[in-house]
Amino acid sequence: MRIIVPIKQVPETSNVKMDPVTGTMIREGVENVVNPLDLYAIETAIRLKEKYGGKIIVISMGPEKAVEAIKEAIAMGCDDGILLSDKKFAGSDTFATSYVLAKAIKQTGDFDLVICGERATDGDTGQVGPGIASFLDLPLSTFTSQILSVENGKITVKRLVEEGYEEIEMMLPAVLTVVKEISDPRLPTLRGKLKAKKMEIPIWDAQKIGAEGQKIGLKGSPTRVVKIFTPKVTREGEKVIVKDEKTLHQAIDKIIDYLIEKELI
Amino acid sequence: MKEVWTLAEFRHGKLNPISFELLNRGKNLAQKLNTSLASVVIGYNIKKEDIDELIKRGADKVYVVDDIRLENFMVETYAKVILKLLDEYNPDIFIAAATTIGRTLMPYIAVKKQTGLTADCTVLDIEEETENLLQTRPAIGGNILATIKTPNTKPQMATVRPHSTKPSPPDKTKKGEVIYKQFDNEAFNAKTKYIKFVKDESQQINIQDAKIIVAGGRGLGKAENFKLIEELADLLGGAVGASRDVVDRGWKTYPHQIGLSGKTVSPALYIAVGISGAIQHIAGMQTSENIIAINKDPEAQIFKISNLGIVGDLHEILPLLIERIKEYKKKGAN
């Protein structure tokens, strides 16, 4: 199987601190990591390769430092990497990003599967995976939670939907976006790290992938950010501290009164 | 025609009430643009009552495509059918719910239409000077809000966070036009086959539809203590949520996980028990209408976004709370 895994480098947000005065994210000292949800896509690809053989190509669109994310994926067990980097890509929204990734995927030759994380933890749109499928005119399974079988040029998967799961069968090649439930990502091995370190990651620009200038970057993006502001979510309502039997009962009274007042009970 | 369109969700033979929330959003936009509001409903065996209900809830027009091949959601066929409608009627604005259907279908369609799409919006408005759709959404784990527009292409598309607005109330006297459309075989060609739906029995109430969610975190101490969360949720008619921590520990399954790597919810009431409020968790629940937090750490982040915070030992508080709610309900019954 030939599998393409598009990944994104994102700021590590698990230890994000907020500036108490401005209410904005403190970016200094924030590390960049592989989008945590992409790790499930990488792991899924590696398991398929272990079962069926083949090759995994990781691609990432971003600045030059995004090469670190590609190397981490290679250290986990992916075979090749391609960095999509060009000043002309800057300012791409999800439409332009899907276009660039789809063009690059085509450029890599024939493939069986494109596996994406369900969304990135920074942009949080989940639109690029489906966008790639649409540009490539391929069948798509979003929120994929399990691969049931791959045979006779078809893949059968389970998708996590609101009230349960759906099973669908798609002809290959196909695009999957995967959720956390699908796998448990492995850690990079020492041997993998050494291999990744030595590896030269090619950089493809807009010309190399044959991207039309009017479909990439800010110019190629149908959406525009009008403004960015900090939400006023500091509701910080009343706090009741339970110290003894009496305050315990007071706290319970508060909850019950609140539920009654808001007609929640 | 400069119409505002909403996607009505028809699933397992039923109209999802989320469709009425979208009509509420749409009504506001259509009024500001002085245009008509239309709902698109596609599926199989769509009942006349469902179509009438869409009209009562605000649709001036309903476009209906009823075909056995649309019985189950498949992005390829659903997208083809909707693209045909969009090409024929050219609405200005097209919105859908940010459900698994909306979040799959809308990006697929937006690419084909070469237009912009904004994900998971919590506020929609019209810019006065340009009449553009202003789409506001949380980003970077809800730490910022971004307002986005699609100035040069149509339709302007957005998915809307479920329960971020109320369903529009029904108006029994309202009349509307119903347009039935049929398409030939070509619209139904797909490289995907739907096999089956398997209901998740561990989710008694679908988390994303729940009005009340009681969620547990690491502070519960062990998996068995989730029984308290389940009991409280059950009493309140709510669903059970979980933080990432406890899902990773196997105390609860992934479909219950709330936060950046799980589900985003916006219920009328969210009770967070033993959840400290990591940024990832908060991102998934901060638009809840009412938040009550119970945590032993007075400095826990969760209190910053709570309407009511109880600092104390959940093992003392929960059993007593459950008892008192039972008493209250008994009293009410008499």
Side-chain angles (χ1 to χ4, degrees):
Chain A
M1 287 191 101
R2 270 184 109 243
I3 304 171
I4 316 285
V5 184
I7 65 170
K8 184 178 186 188
Q9 192 179 45
V10 300
E12 146 82 296
T13 50
S14 60
N15 299 311
V16 159
K17 298 260 177 330
M18 301 301 288
D19 187 317
V21 181
T22 62
T24 54
M25 197 168 114
I26 301 169
R27 282 180 174 273
E28 285 91 73
V30 174
E31 235 187 299
N32 290 310
V33 295
V34 176
N35 168 37
L37 302 187
D38 291 345
L39 297 176
Y40 305 107
I42 295 167
E43 180 64 32
T44 305
I46 296 171
R47 289 190 193 181
L48 285 170
K49 184 188 143 185
E50 283 168 350
K51 202 163 168 190
Y52 301 103
K55 191 172 176 181
I56 306 166
I57 305 172
V58 181
I59 60 174
S60 187
M61 173 173 147
E64 269 181 45
K65 67 172 191 301
V67 104
E68 299 156 14
I70 294 174
K71 291 205 168 190
E72 190 177 332
I74 288 169
M76 283 173 72
C78 297
D79 299 285
D80 278 330
I82 301 161
L83 176 67
L84 311 172
S85 201
D86 193 321
K87 276 195 192 111
K88 294 188 190 123
F89 296 155
S92 292
D93 68 358
T94 59
F95 174 89
T97 303
S98 308
Y99 173 72
V100 167
L101 289 166
K103 281 299 233 185
I105 289 167
K106 264 193 195 158
Q107 190 75 23
T108 62
D110 289 337
F111 58 90
D112 301 291
L113 274 177
V114 177
I115 309 180
C116 310
E118 195 257 304
R119 57 199 145 121
T121 54
D122 56 350
D124 201 18
T125 71
Q127 290 179 174
V128 172
I132 291 172
S134 189
F135 270 116
L136 296 173
D137 244 323
L138 293 178
L140 163 70
S141 166
T142 48
F143 307 96
T144 311
S145 61
Q146 197 185 343
I147 293 175
L148 297 168
S149 71
V150 184
E151 54 192 4
N152 307 326
K154 286 174 185 162
I155 184 167
T156 308
V157 297
K158 239 167 103 173
R159 306 176 58 227
L160 179 65
V161 297
E162 280 78 4
E163 312 90 355
Y165 295 90
E166 279 179 358
E167 280 179 33
I168 59 170
E169 177 194 272
M170 299 181 292
M171 286 204 256
L172 296 176
V175 177
L176 310 179
T177 77
V178 300
V179 293
K180 173 179 161 170
E181 200 174 37
I182 200 165
S183 63
D184 210 349
R186 68 193 67 193
L187 292 169
T189 60
L190 189 60
R191 220 177 81 198
K193 279 187 187 165
L194 287 171
K195 179 186 158 197
K197 200 175 168 195
K198 278 188 235 148
M199 198 181 256
E200 199 56 45
I201 306 296
I203 300 176
W204 289 5
D205 59 11
Q207 198 190 348
K208 168 78 186 175
I209 61 169
E212 295 167 45
Q214 72 276 15
K215 280 192 187 168
I216 55 172
L218 191 61
K219 200 169 58 172
S221 297
T223 60
R224 285 284 175 280
V225 176
V226 182
K227 64 171 176 179
I228 286 179
F229 55 106
T230 311
K232 298 183 208 88
V233 284
T234 42
R235 10 188 154 190
E236 200 153 16
E238 189 180 354
K239 227 193 278 181
V240 184
I241 299 170
V242 176
K243 284 178 284 204
D244 47 29
E245 196 65 20
K246 191 176 151 214
T247 45
L248 173 63
H249 283 276
Q250 281 171 351
I252 304 289
D253 287 342
K254 282 272 182 217
I255 298 177
I256 306 262
D257 289 348
Y258 189 88
L259 297 180
I260 293 169
E261 186 201 321
K262 302 283 177 186
E263 296 174 9
L264 293 162
I265 190 171
Chain B
M1 197 149 6
K2 297 196 177 304
E3 284 179 347
V4 173
W5 280 21
T6 68
L7 180 70
E9 250 183 54
F10 192 78
R11 196 168 196 161
H12 307 306
K14 274 190 297 214
L15 199 58
N16 185 338
I18 233 165
S19 313
F20 311 140
E21 295 174 18
L22 289 170
L23 282 170
N24 203 5
R25 296 270 186 192
K27 205 155 48 173
N28 172 42
L29 301 174
Q31 269 164 9
K32 286 189 176 167
L33 290 171
N34 200 13
T35 182
S36 55
L37 173 63
S39 220
V40 178
V41 57
I42 68 178
Y44 177 55
N45 254 334
I46 302 165
K47 291 178 281 300
K48 173 129 195 324
E49 301 99 84
D50 288 329
I51 296 166
D52 288 344
E53 187 70 23
L54 289 169
I55 292 170
K56 283 180 202 147
R57 301 279 187 159
D60 302 307
K61 283 183 197 170
V62 182
Y63 296 93
V64 184
V65 188
D66 191 317
D67 191 299
I68 191 160
R69 289 165 293 189
L70 297 170
E71 186 173 13
N72 296 298
F73 172 71
M74 286 200 295
V75 61
E76 289 169 273
T77 43
Y78 271 51
K80 270 190 207 163
V81 164
I82 290 173
L83 281 162
K84 282 182 185 290
L85 295 172
L86 292 175
D87 287 343
E88 184 172 345
Y89 297 99
N90 293 306
D92 253 17
I93 291 172
F94 181 35
I95 58 175
T99 54
T100 57
I101 288 181
R103 296 192 81 154
T104 306
L105 187 59
M106 295 294 268
Y108 200 91
I109 290 173
V111 161
K112 298 276 188 232
K113 288 298 284 181
Q114 307 215 13
T115 188
L117 168 66
T118 305
D120 207 18
C121 298
T122 50
V123 182
L124 294 178
D125 202 358
I126 299 292
E127 190 173 47
E128 259 176 47
E129 316 86 75
T130 61
E131 299 205 328
N132 279 321
L133 177 66
L134 293 174
Q135 310 151 101
T136 301
R137 67 182 301 265
I140 320 193
N143 287 308
I144 60 161
L145 285 171
T147 301
I148 291 162
K149 65 177 174 183
T150 303
N152 303 317
T153 50
K154 296 278 157 63
Q156 304 162 80
M157 292 173 60
T159 58
V160 181
R161 179 170 293 191
H163 311 312
S164 60
T165 192
K166 299 238 177 309
S168 52
D171 169 1
K172 287 202 177 89
T173 61
K174 191 167 176 307
K175 297 270 178 285
E177 187 187 348
V178 183
I179 300 127
Y180 287 92
K181 301 293 290 186
Q182 278 181 319
F183 298 108
D184 50 23
N185 287 333
E186 175 267 330
F188 301 98
N189 286 336
K191 287 177 274 188
T192 307
K193 201 171 94 189
Y194 188 90
I195 300 174
K196 64 175 175 187
F197 169 69
V198 185
K199 198 168 161 40
D200 178 5
E201 301 295 346
S202 85
Q203 284 190 66
Q204 308 243 311
I205 297 168
N206 164 17
I207 288 188
Q208 274 148 319
D209 276 349
K211 289 208 172 64
I212 294 177
I213 294 174
V214 184
R218 201 168 49 187
L220 283 169
K222 55 181 176 187
E224 296 83 82
N225 291 337
F226 246 99
K227 286 209 188 82
L228 290 169
I229 300 288
E230 280 153 16
E231 196 180 351
L232 181 57
D234 200 37
L235 265 179
L236 296 170
V240 174
S243 71
R244 179 191 163 149
D245 252 339
V246 304
V247 170
D248 286 351
R249 282 158 198 251
W251 296 359
K252 208 75 210 157
T253 56
Y254 176 67
H256 295 270
Q257 186 178 322
I258 288 160
L260 262 189
S261 51
K263 288 175 177 161
T264 302
V265 295
S266 209
L269 171 65
Y270 191 91
I271 304 183
V273 183
I275 292 175
S276 62
I279 235 160
Q280 287 87 342
H281 188 78
I282 287 179
M285 46 65 77
Q286 66 185 349
T287 51
S288 305
E289 219 176 300
N290 296 286
I291 299 172
I292 297 178
I294 301 172
N295 204 297
K296 65 170 190 269
D297 174 13
E299 300 302 316
Q301 287 296 315
I302 194 81
F303 290 127
K304 293 223 158 55
I305 58 153
S306 298
N307 303 84
L308 176 62
I310 309 294
V311 182
D313 181 0
L314 63 93
H315 303 287
E316 270 175 32
I317 296 164
L318 279 190
L320 193 57
L321 178 61
I322 287 168
E323 198 185 307
R324 289 281 308 277
I325 292 176
K326 278 185 187 160
E327 274 170 29
Y328 175 84
K329 291 181 85 165
K330 218 189 241 165
K331 250 194 298 177
N334 292 333

